[in-house]
Amino acid sequence: MASGNLTHVTAFILMGLSQRPELQMPLFFVILVIYMLTAVGNLGIIILTTIDSRLQTPMYFFLRHLAVINLGDATVIAPKMLVNFLVRMKTTLYYECAIQLGGFLVFMVADIFMLAVMAYDRYVAICNPLLYMVVVSRQVCLLLVSLTYVLGLLTAIVVTPCVFSVSYCSSNVINHFYCDNVPLLALSCSDTSIPETVVFFFSGTNLFFSMTIVLISYFNIILAILRIRSSEGRKKAFSTCASHMMAVTVFYGTLLFMYLQPRTNHSLDTDKVASVFYTLVIPMLNPVIYSFRNKDVKCALKDFLKNPHTA
């Protein structure tokens, strides 16, 4: 812990979700349950979509990587958060904080682009079903997934050093439950205009391009569904993308609320509530939203539980 205006901070203190002592254990168990469900659900998706022959389509290939990303995102945040509920001094070392921010950015950016890729996949499946396996070939799938990870890594490599290039002097208490760029920059004792611009640019650019892909895909999907004459056909087409639409709305809604609100109205306490949704709650819900309502996944899960050695 640093003292004096000229002393460089070597560690930060995370305030967490709440500073009330009586809430620490209840919150610990809530977050523990959420993280365990996240781990079980996403590992289940990863295993099933890897071993079951019925789940070897592009849609499940993208779903597997979404599960990897969701698990990674929750793992970057939850373990340190759980430890901090049990200790009095919620300290995180300077470089530990930088690593957490970098990991968070990798998985968060990969997440928004994976949702965009899945929207494109649904667009091709509904608008060009006869060409689906040609357009979304194995090579295209690998390219699209690789791009999501590369964009996440690029954001982390640029933004993280930029956030930690400013000076942190006497103030080292982060009003958050993990090391995020907005509360970190709020602590700086030097000019933060450049890193704030970089953060805004990457947040805005990543959201703009991913949301543009999602909106264009769904605009064309809706037009294609409206052209289907039978109500049964329309219902079937809509059901294939309803889950994705719901998840996208919640995920992008919280991100837009977090990063693109005017600074004058920016409340870090409100951010904490929104952050719980996209770092912990959504990764927990995604396996249910996308898969366990799905007939093929249910069948694959039943077969795996009956005989896991031959699945």
Side-chain angles (χ1 to χ4, degrees), residues 213-280:
I213 295 165
V214 170
L215 291 171
I216 291 172
S217 297
Y218 275 108
F219 177 75
N220 285 290
I221 286 168
I222 291 165
L223 287 180
I225 290 172
L226 291 174
R227 283 196 292 265
I228 298 171
R229 292 182 179 180
S230 70
S231 58
E232 188 63 33
R234 282 197 297 270
K235 187 179 177 182
K236 187 178 178 182
F238 181 76
S239 68
T240 64
C241 56
S243 296
H244 184 258
M245 283 177 74
M246 181 172 67
V248 161
T249 303
V250 175
F251 188 82
Y252 282 105
T254 52
L255 281 181
L256 284 169
F257 174 79
M258 272 280 295
Y259 287 105
L260 299 181
Q261 60 180 305
R263 193 175 175 185
T264 50
N265 298 332
H266 208 108
S267 166
L268 293 176
D269 290 325
T270 310
D271 282 359
K272 281 195 267 188
V273 177
S275 297
V276 170
F277 270 91
Y278 67 73
T279 59
L280 298 169

Side-chain angles (χ1 to χ4, degrees), residues 15-212:
M15 285 177 68
L17 280 176
S18 173
Q19 290 184 289
R20 292 170 64 182
E22 69 272 18
L23 290 178
Q24 299 307 301
M25 287 311 293
L27 284 171
F28 170 82
F29 285 111
V30 169
I31 299 302
L32 179 63
V33 169
I34 289 173
Y35 183 57
M36 287 173 68
L37 290 172
T38 301
V40 170
N42 286 291
L43 281 171
I45 295 299
I46 293 164
I47 293 165
L48 288 177
T49 55
T50 302
I51 64 173
D52 197 281
S53 58
R54 288 165 293 191
L55 307 179
Q56 300 306 309
T57 63
M59 181 178 79
Y60 293 112
F61 178 75
F62 296 137
L63 187 61
R64 183 191 316 156
H65 283 278
L66 182 70
V68 170
I69 291 164
N70 283 164
L71 184 58
D73 196 13
T75 302
V76 165
I77 305 298
K80 182 67 177 177
M81 191 179 178
L82 289 168
V83 170
N84 284 344
F85 283 125
L86 304 176
V87 297
R88 195 174 162 191
M89 287 295 288
K90 308 176 195 305
T91 308
T92 182
L93 297 174
Y94 184 84
Y95 291 106
E96 187 183 7
C97 192
I99 290 166
Q100 187 181 48
L101 175 60
F104 164 74
L105 290 171
V106 168
F107 290 114
M108 187 53 55
V109 174
D111 203 341
I112 65 172
F113 280 106
M114 187 57 68
L115 289 173
V117 165
M118 291 173 78
Y120 172 73
D121 172 68
R122 294 296 82 209
Y123 155 71
V124 178
I126 291 170
C127 298
N128 296 292
L130 299 176
L131 295 172
Y132 179 67
M133 294 308 293
V134 177
V135 176
V136 193
S137 64
R138 177 75 178 168
Q139 291 79 7
V140 171
C141 288
L142 289 170
L143 176 65
L144 291 173
V145 166
S146 299
L147 274 173
T148 64
Y149 290 117
V150 167
L151 289 166
L153 196 60
L154 176 66
T155 302
I157 287 170
V158 176
V159 173
T160 306
C162 202
V163 169
F164 282 86
S165 68
V166 299
S167 299
Y168 295 97
C169 306
S170 58
S171 181
N172 69 337
V173 180
I174 301 172
N175 186 15
H176 219 309
F177 57 86
Y178 69 96
C179 294
D180 195 10
N181 44 50
V182 175
L184 272 166
L185 290 174
L187 292 181
S188 177
C189 56
S190 62
D191 180 32
T192 59
S193 57
I194 292 174
E196 281 179 358
T197 303
V198 170
V199 168
F200 187 84
F201 172 78
F202 273 89
S203 300
T205 304
N206 288 334
L207 278 172
F208 173 77
F209 282 110
S210 59
M211 284 188 72
T212 300

